[in-house]
């Protein structure tokens, strides 16, 4: 009988940290896009993109139903994103800050 290795115990936090490190190691949006396309199914990419798409609308105070009409993203998904924006781990805020366009200096 073939001897099979004993699977290691899962460590979800270490696995997540490893994945986060892989993202952090990428320096260009094209690299991140390629990694996401390799990592995720088309449905997963659509779900992630939908969540990110509603963030600016929520920050502008657009009502959930109007967000749905504008984007096709469900009211339920929009509500989940809103909860994460308000009570999450700060990831959306960090991504918003990292992708914000710097204000141009005032003309003197």
């Amino acid at each position: 009988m073939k001897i099979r290795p004993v699977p290691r115990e899962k460590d979800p936090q270490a696995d997540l940290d490893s994945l986060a490190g892989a993202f952090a190691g990428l320096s260009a949006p094209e690299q991140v896009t390629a990694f996401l396309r390799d990592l995720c199914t088309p449905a997963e990419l659509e779900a992630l993109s939908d969540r990110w798409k509603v963030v600016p609308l929520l920050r502008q105070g657009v009502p959930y139903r109007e967000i749905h009409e504008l984007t096709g993203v469900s009211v339920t998904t929009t509500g989940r994103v809103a909860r994460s924006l308000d009570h999450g781990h700060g990831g959306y805020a960090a991504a918003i800050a990292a992708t914000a366009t710097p204000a141009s200096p005032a003309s003197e």
Side-chain angles (χ1 to χ4, degrees), residues 5-96:
V6 177
R8 67 176 178 88
E9 283 191 39
K10 287 194 173 247
D11 183 347
Q13 187 59 53
D15 293 343
L16 183 58
D17 291 346
S18 176
L19 179 60
F23 275 105
L26 301 173
S27 60
E30 298 81 17
Q31 292 175 322
V32 176
T33 298
F35 183 47
L36 284 168
R37 289 188 187 282
D38 288 345
L39 185 66
C40 299
T41 66
E44 291 166 335
L45 288 173
E46 181 179 13
L48 293 170
S49 298
D50 283 350
R51 291 174 193 158
W52 185 242
K53 184 186 332 184
V54 302
V55 169
L57 298 171
L58 286 167
R59 294 183 70 223
Q60 293 169 22
V62 177
Y64 293 10
R65 289 257 172 235
E66 189 175 337
I67 290 173
H68 171 69
E69 291 167 9
L70 291 168
T71 66
V73 175
S74 75
V75 172
T76 302
T77 295
T78 300
R80 287 186 185 131
V81 173
R83 276 191 302 280
S84 291
L85 277 168
D86 293 339
H87 307 290
H89 298 274
Y92 280 120
I96 291 164

